[in-house]
């Protein structure tokens, strides 16, 4: 939803257009069902060993039997939207949606299963940015600047690494290869810190956004304390991870409102 809304400015009165709401619903449920449904379906073993799973905050923890119908249900949910968006948006939108589907398949399924080929599983998170391109094509908006696309990509990389850091122990038990498992918790946190500081630089000096850059800078300071003072190389408890998850969701909602209100991510300095 956050990425879908980035290409809009408040002056466009987008909320008055029915097609906008159809697209918003699509990225909120059917597209999420595709992304996280396939993830749950192909990650059943790792999820079954993961203490933070099995709730609405972090996702499902289900048996093979309960997960068996997920691909079929994804197909049933996706096909009507694929047909509708192809009708209203033409061949370009159809190709984009097909590409997004293919990305999810090669990310999750063998022989590709990019999610277990570090560091490519991090780079594949650029697929989230295609949500903004979907929004642009569907709503006939101007293309967002490449600087914005770069920021969104770094944001997706950093968010994925955060999840990997929380899942190191269950991923090791399930013999699932990730970048965080490969390089260890502390180095993964340093990688996340580097991306955060890069994002801060982009937001401050490319977009003059003091609010978002200030928030991410504060988060970077917290991560430095995490690395050197509080947690260091220790895993988080489930209660701590839930607290982090709630805080991240609240900050996402607030930052989404700010991005729409300010329009800063649509106007880089160069």
């Amino acid at each position: 939803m956050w990425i879908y809304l980035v290409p809009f400015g408040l002056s466009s009165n987008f909320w008055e257009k029915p097609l906008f709401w159809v697209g918003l619903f699509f990225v909120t449920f059917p597209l999420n069902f595709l992304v996280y449904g396939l993830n749950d379906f192909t990650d059943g073993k790792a999820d079954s060993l993961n203490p933070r799973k099995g709730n609405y905050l972090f996702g499902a923890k289900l048996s093979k039997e309960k997960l068996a119908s997920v691909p079929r249900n994804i197909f049933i949910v996706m096909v009507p939207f694929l047909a509708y968006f192809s009708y209203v948006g033409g061949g370009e939108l159809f190709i984009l949606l097909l590409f997004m589907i293919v990305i999810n398949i090669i990310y999750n399924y063998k022989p590709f299963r990019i999610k277990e080929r570090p560091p490519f599983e991090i780079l594949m998170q650029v697929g989230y940015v295609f949500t903004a391109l979907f929004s642009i094509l569907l709503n006939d908006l101007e293309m967002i600047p490449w600087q914005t696309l770069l920021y969104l990509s770094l944001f997706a990389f950093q968010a994925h690494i955060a999840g990997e850091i929380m899942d190191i122990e269950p991923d090791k038990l399930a013999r699932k290869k990730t970048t965080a498992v490969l390089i260890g918790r502390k180095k993964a946190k340093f990688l996340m810190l580097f991306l955060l500081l890069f994002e801060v630089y982009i937001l401050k000096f490319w977009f003059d956004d003091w609010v978002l850059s200030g928030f991410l800078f504060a988060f970077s300071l917290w991560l430095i304390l995490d690395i050197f003072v509080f947690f260091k190389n220790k895993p988080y408890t489930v209660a701590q991870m839930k607290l982090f998850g709630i805080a991240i969701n609240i900050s996402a909602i607030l930052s989404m409102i700010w991005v729409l209100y300010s329009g800063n991510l649509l106007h880089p300095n160069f």
Side-chain angles (χ1 to χ4, degrees), residues 43-139:
D43 260 7
K45 183 178 180 182
D47 289 344
S48 69
L49 300 169
N50 195 330
R52 78 179 176 101
K53 296 287 185 175
N55 52 72
Y56 284 101
L57 188 59
F58 290 124
K61 182 189 287 188
L62 299 171
S63 64
K64 280 187 177 181
E65 291 73 24
K66 289 185 177 179
L67 288 168
S69 61
V70 167
R72 181 194 66 203
N73 293 339
I74 291 173
F75 179 81
I76 292 170
V77 169
M78 285 292 294
V79 165
F81 284 93
L82 188 62
Y84 174 72
F85 290 136
S86 300
Y87 172 73
V88 299
E92 283 187 334
L93 199 53
F94 173 78
I95 291 171
L96 177 64
L97 287 169
L98 197 62
F99 180 71
M100 292 167 76
I101 292 169
V102 170
I103 282 180
N104 279 279
I105 291 172
I106 66 174
Y107 181 73
N108 286 285
Y109 285 95
K110 294 179 179 180
F112 307 102
R113 197 162 165 80
I114 305 298
K115 71 192 320 176
E116 291 197 44
R117 297 181 184 273
F120 300 107
E121 92 281 13
I122 295 175
L123 298 177
M124 280 290 283
Q125 304 311 307
V126 75
Y128 280 102
V129 178
F130 285 89
T131 307
L133 303 183
F134 164 77
S135 180
I136 290 166
L137 285 178
L138 179 67
N139 297 286

Side-chain angles (χ1 to χ4, degrees), residues 153-163 192 195-196 199 216 219:
S153 298
L154 294 172
F155 179 83
F157 298 161
Q158 164 244 308
H160 184 78
I161 293 169
M192 185 177 168
L195 292 173
L196 274 169
E199 290 172 59
L216 289 183
F219 184 34

Side-chain angles (χ1 to χ4, degrees), residues 144-152 202 206-207 265 268-270:
I144 56 179
W146 67 265
Q147 295 95 329
T148 307
L149 293 174
L150 176 60
Y151 166 70
L152 293 175
I202 289 174
W206 293 7
F207 293 99
L265 288 182
N269 295 330
F270 61 93

